[in-house]
C-alpha cells in the first residue's frame, strides 16, 4: 500500500467523523438503537460477502502450482501449493481479521459505552474488503498482475509509511551478524 493509501484512510475516517458531528448522529436514544442495528447488519453482511468469496474461490478451482512463505515473525517457512489453497488461506485470514475486529469493537462499545468505534465500523469493514486483492480478483475480475500477483504483498499497519527491508538487505544483515558471531567466538 502506498503513502497515498494511508492518507486516503485518514481522510475516510475524518470524513465519517465530520459527517457524524454535522448531522448530530448519536445524540438521541433512537440514534443509538439505529446505529447498533446498522453496525450489526454491516458486520453480518461483510461476513456473508467473505463467505461468498470462499464460494467463488472454490468454484474457480485454480490448481496452478505456486509457493509462498507463511507469515510469521521469523520469516516463515516456504509452502508449496496451489493458487486455490493460497486464496483460501487468505480468505480465512480475512474472515478471522473481520470477526476479531467485530468482537473487539462490540466489547469496547458495550463495556466502555463508546459510540464512535461502532459508527466507524459500519463503513470500515466494507472499505477493507473492497480494497483487498481477493475482491479485485474474484468480484471485479481483474487479472493477477502487478499488485494482484500472488503471493500478495503483506500490508504494513503503518500504511507504507515505514518501508520493509529488501530481501537482499536481510541477507546482507544476516551475513554481517554471522561474521560478528564468529569474531566473538574466537
Amino acid at each position: 500500500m502506498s503513502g497515498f493509501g494511508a492518507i486516503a484512510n485518514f481522510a475516510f475516517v475524518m470524513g465519517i467523523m465530520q459527517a457524524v458531528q454535522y448531522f448530530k448522529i448519536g445524540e438521541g436514544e433512537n440514534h443509538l438503537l439505529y446505529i447498533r442495528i446498522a453496525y450489526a447488519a454491516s458486520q453480518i453482511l461483510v461476513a456473508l460477502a467473505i463467505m461468498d468469496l470462499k464460494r467463488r474461490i472454490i468454484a474457480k478451482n485454480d490448481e496452478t502450482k505456486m509457493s509462498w512463505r507463511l507469515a510469521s515473525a521469523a520469516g516463515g517457512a516456504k509452502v508449496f501449493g496451489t493458487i486455490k489453497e493460497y486464496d483460501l488461506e487468505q480468505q480465512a485470514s480475512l474472515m478471522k481479521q473481520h470477526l476479531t475486529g467485530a468482537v473487539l469493537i462490540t466489547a469496547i462499545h458495550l463495556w466502555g459505552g463508546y459510540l464512535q468505534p461502532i459508527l466507524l465500523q459500519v463503513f470500515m469493514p466494507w472499505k477493507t474488503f473492497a480494497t483487498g486483492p481477493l475482491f479485485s480478483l474474484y468480484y471485479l475480475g481483474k487479472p493477477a498482475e502487478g499488485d494482484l500477483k500472488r503471493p500478495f504483498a503483506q500490508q504494513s499497519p503503518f500504511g507504507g509509511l515505514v518501508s520493509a527491508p529488501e530481501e537482499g538487505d536481510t541477507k546482507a544483515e544476516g551475513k554481517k551478524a554471522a561474521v560478528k558471531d564468529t569474531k566473538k567466538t574466537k
Side-chain angles (χ1 to χ4, degrees):
M1 182 177 276
S2 67
F4 177 74
I7 294 170
N9 281 340
F10 181 74
F12 184 74
V13 169
M14 295 311 294
I16 291 172
M17 297 316 300
Q18 289 301 315
V20 166
Q21 288 178 355
Y22 181 77
F23 293 112
K24 298 181 186 260
I25 297 173
E27 291 184 4
E29 274 301 311
N30 288 341
H31 286 181
L32 180 61
L33 176 65
Y34 294 137
I35 291 168
R36 287 178 176 169
I37 290 170
Y39 170 73
S42 176
Q43 299 306 306
I44 291 168
L45 290 173
V46 170
L48 289 173
I50 294 172
M51 284 190 266
D52 181 59
L53 178 64
K54 181 177 183 176
R55 182 193 58 80
R56 289 174 185 244
I57 292 169
I58 292 170
K60 189 170 184 182
N61 198 26
D62 192 344
E63 295 294 330
T64 306
K65 303 284 185 207
M66 67 173 287
S67 65
W68 65 93
R69 293 208 177 268
L70 291 177
S72 71
K78 194 166 190 173
V79 177
F80 296 93
T82 64
I83 287 179
K84 176 184 173 183
E85 292 169 346
Y86 178 77
D87 287 353
L88 286 172
E89 182 181 298
Q90 294 297 309
Q91 180 271 342
S93 174
L94 183 63
M95 180 62 90
K96 183 178 176 183
Q97 175 188 357
H98 173 67
L99 294 177
T100 302
V103 168
L104 183 65
I105 296 299
T106 301
I108 288 171
H109 174 66
L110 293 177
W111 283 303
Y114 298 106
L115 184 62
Q116 289 181 344
I118 64 170
L119 275 169
L120 288 174
Q121 289 301 311
V122 169
F123 303 103
M124 290 302 287
W126 288 106
K127 183 181 180 306
T128 301
F129 180 66
T131 57
L134 292 176
F135 180 84
S136 296
L137 291 169
Y138 288 98
Y139 282 93
L140 302 179
K142 293 184 177 179
E145 300 170 343
D147 289 343
L148 299 178
K149 188 173 181 180
R150 295 169 185 92
F152 307 128
Q154 296 297 320
Q155 294 181 358
S156 168
F158 301 107
L161 296 175
V162 178
S163 62
E166 295 295 323
E167 188 173 323
D169 294 343
T170 306
K171 288 180 183 176
E173 289 172 0
K175 288 179 183 178
K176 288 177 186 176
V179 170
K180 286 181 182 178
D181 287 340
T182 57
K183 288 180 181 178
K184 286 180 183 177
T185 57
K186 288 183 180 180

